[in-house]
Amino acid sequence: MIKNKHLVFTLPYILWLALFVTAPLVLIFYQSFLNINGHLTWDNYRDYIHSATYLQMTFNSVWYALVITVITLVVAYPVAYVIAQLRSKDFWLALIILPTWINLLLKTYAFIGLLGQHGSINNFLRFIGVGSHQLLFTNAAFVWVAAYIELPFMVLPIFNAITAIPTSLINASLDLGASRWQTFTKVIFPLSKSGVAAGIQAVFIPSLSLFMITRLIGGNRVITLGTAIEEHFLTTQNWGMGSTIGVVLVLAMLIVMVLTDDNNKKGGA
C-alpha cells in the first residue's frame, strides 16, 4: 500500500521530467545530426568546430555570461548580507523579488524607454547640459540590463545561505576575540559558499543563452549562441545547426553545474 502511494505521488513528476525535460533533450540531440534536408550527417558538428564565427560566438557567450555573473555577485552579496541583518528582512527581500513577477519582455522594453535617445536618462543628461549619448545598442547597456534582470536570482540563494548560519557561531567568533572582518571572512563567507554556488548556477546558466536582450538592447551588436540559435530556427530554418548549438550550450551548462557542485562540497566540508 505504501509503495502504491509513493508511485501515485511520483508518477506525475516522472511524466513531467520525461515529457518536458528528457524528450526535448533527446529531440535536440537527434536533430543536431540532421542537415537542412533532413539527412543524417556529422557536418553540423564539423562546421561548428571549424567555424571561426561559431567559436567567436561561443567565446562571447561565455565571456558575457561570466561578466554578468561577476557583476551580479559583487552587487548581490553585500545586498543579501545587509538584508539578512535587518529586522524587516522579508519586506526588503520581497522588494528585490518583485521585479521577477514582471514579464521579461516588458522589462526589456522599459529599458529601451530609459536608454533611448529620447529616454529619461538622455533627457536628464540634456537637462544638466551634458548632452545626449548613445546608451542603447551598446555592449555596456546589454550587460547592465542583463545583470539587473538576473540580480534577484543571485540575491535569493545567498540570502538563504546567510540566514541559515547559526547565530551562535557568529557570536562565538566575536566572543573569542575575532574582529567583524575576521568573522565574515572565516565564518560567514565560507558557510555561505553554497548560496554563492547556487547563485552562480542561477545566473551564469541562463546568461549563456540570452537572445531577447541581445536583440532589443544590444541591437544585434552583441552576438551570442542564443542569437545564433534563434537565427537558425526562425530565419534560416536550419534546425540541425540550431540544435547542434543547443547541444553545445547544454554541455556548457552541465560543466558549470559540475564545477559549482564541487565548490558546494568543499564549502560544506
Side-chain angles (χ1 to χ4, degrees):
M1 179 66 73
I2 296 178
K3 290 184 178 180
N4 291 336
K5 287 183 177 180
H6 282 236
L7 182 62
V8 169
F9 286 113
T10 57
L11 185 60
Y13 179 70
I14 294 173
L15 290 175
W16 178 273
L17 287 178
L19 292 175
F20 299 108
V21 178
T22 306
L25 289 175
V26 172
L27 182 60
I28 289 176
F29 185 73
Y30 169 74
Q31 191 81 35
S32 68
F33 291 100
L34 301 180
N35 60 20
I36 197 168
N37 297 317
H39 300 141
L40 288 172
T41 180
W42 288 91
D43 290 348
N44 293 327
Y45 287 96
R46 185 191 63 191
D47 293 343
Y48 179 88
I49 294 173
H50 292 91
S51 172
T53 302
Y54 288 126
L55 294 179
Q56 182 64 44
M57 288 181 183
T58 304
F59 174 80
N60 289 343
S61 298
V62 174
W63 170 250
Y64 283 118
L66 180 62
V67 171
I68 292 167
T69 302
V70 170
I71 292 175
T72 54
L73 178 59
V74 170
V75 175
Y77 199 99
V79 170
Y81 179 77
V82 170
I83 292 177
Q85 314 306 316
L86 300 176
R87 291 184 178 179
S88 54
K89 61 183 70 175
D90 293 337
F91 170 76
W92 292 104
L93 188 64
L95 290 181
I96 292 176
I97 297 175
L98 193 61
T100 62
W101 299 357
I102 303 173
N103 183 271
L104 177 60
L105 186 60
L106 292 178
K107 288 189 286 189
T108 305
Y109 274 110
F111 274 103
I112 293 176
L114 288 172
L115 300 173
Q117 284 292 335
H118 301 286
S120 303
I121 297 178
N122 270 321
N123 287 338
F124 175 75
L125 293 177
R126 282 191 290 267
F127 174 75
I128 63 177
V130 176
S132 61
H133 295 272
Q134 180 61 43
L135 303 176
L136 199 60
F137 306 142
T138 61
N139 294 351
F142 162 69
V143 171
W144 178 38
V145 174
Y148 166 80
I149 291 174
E150 300 285 359
L151 184 62
F153 303 104
M154 182 69 78
V155 171
L156 188 58
I158 295 176
F159 171 83
N160 289 334
I162 292 175
T163 54
I165 299 174
T167 308
S168 58
L169 294 179
I170 299 174
N171 293 334
S173 174
L174 296 173
D175 290 341
L176 292 173
S179 64
R180 290 283 181 180
W181 176 249
Q182 289 174 325
T183 301
F184 173 78
T185 56
K186 301 297 184 181
V187 178
I188 298 176
F189 184 74
L191 293 177
S192 63
K193 282 184 178 180
S194 60
V196 173
I200 290 174
Q201 286 185 5
V203 173
F204 188 89
I205 291 176
S207 298
L208 278 174
S209 56
L210 290 174
F211 70 93
M212 183 189 302
I213 300 176
T214 58
R215 292 285 192 189
L216 299 177
I217 303 298
N220 287 337
R221 295 185 181 183
V222 180
I223 305 298
T224 62
L225 292 180
T227 55
I229 292 174
E230 181 197 23
E231 187 75 17
H232 283 304
F233 273 97
L234 301 181
T235 304
T236 66
Q237 298 295 308
N238 190 351
W239 290 16
M241 195 64 210
S243 299
T244 300
I245 300 173
V247 171
V248 172
L249 279 177
V250 170
L251 292 176
M253 294 172 184
L254 290 175
I255 291 172
V256 173
M257 293 179 67
V258 169
L259 292 176
T260 49
D261 280 344
D262 287 341
N263 289 336
N264 267 342
K265 292 175 183 178
K266 291 176 183 178

